Amino acid sequence: NIDGNVRTIDKVIRREINLSEGDAYNKYNVNYSKDSIRALNFFSKVEVDEERTSFSDKIDLNFTVEEKSTGEASIGAGYSSATDASLQFGLRENNFLGRGQKVNFTSSLSNTRNTYDISITEPYFNNKPLSLTTQLYSSFIDPASVNYETEDLGFGISTKFPTAPDRAMELRYSIFTTKIKADSNATDYELLLAGTDTISVIGHSLIIDKRNSKFKPSRGYNLNFSQDLAGLGGTSYYFKNVIDYNIYRLLGKNLIGAFKF
């Protein structure tokens, strides 16, 4: 039973519970499920109560949550010698319409520079543990200190899915184009910079998570191994490998140690 979710829909919480109704009771899975719900960062409090039923071999698990704010809006204004007056806007929501979706929009507007960055993440596409993320980026820069203007445009898409209870795979593709247009009074060097550069990247990540908790791990490790290849079209070519490794140990009653590489 789930109670207290006045905004978040029921299935967003239920899909984080590592037990199905009728399963054998397992205290570790109950605690792990509680930490998984807390790791969503949608709730200020998550409690689990075990309630006896009229059946001697069955209990009810009652999950009680307390909602908290999951979105933010920002607006700012400034002035600098490089961009003159500027305005910044930002909207971010980590639990859009209570469905667990992440939406982010940021923009910056000035006399010499306009940028927009939009991303949307659906963590459970078609009610399956399949995460989909799309991102769109646009930037136009025309500084007074140089005799050319730069226009950037980027698009990315990625998907992440589990291959085992403690393993997941991420596949992604992105394309980023930079176009430099020289002014009529550009120098010879600035004329050489003019043109279009396109980066087309395909990549994947292997994620292994052996931590005892997603919310506050005190034992275990997680490993992220990523590879990206640029050159499937475009004008840039490279091969990039990244390894991220974290291991956790309980050093005392209230002290957790972490080694990060």
Side-chain angles (χ1 to χ4, degrees), residues 88-101:
Q88 296 86 36
F89 302 93
L91 292 173
R92 185 175 67 181
E93 175 57 63
N94 292 325
N95 187 16
F96 185 64
L97 299 179
R99 297 178 175 272
Q101 300 164 340

Side-chain angles (χ1 to χ4, degrees), residues 155 172-177 197-203 228-239:
F155 172 78
R172 56 187 173 271
Y173 173 77
S174 63
I175 184 167
F176 185 85
T177 299
D197 184 30
T198 301
I199 304 175
S200 176
V201 184
I202 187 170
D228 291 288
L229 174 66
L232 302 178
T235 55
S236 294
Y237 306 90
Y238 63 80
F239 186 49

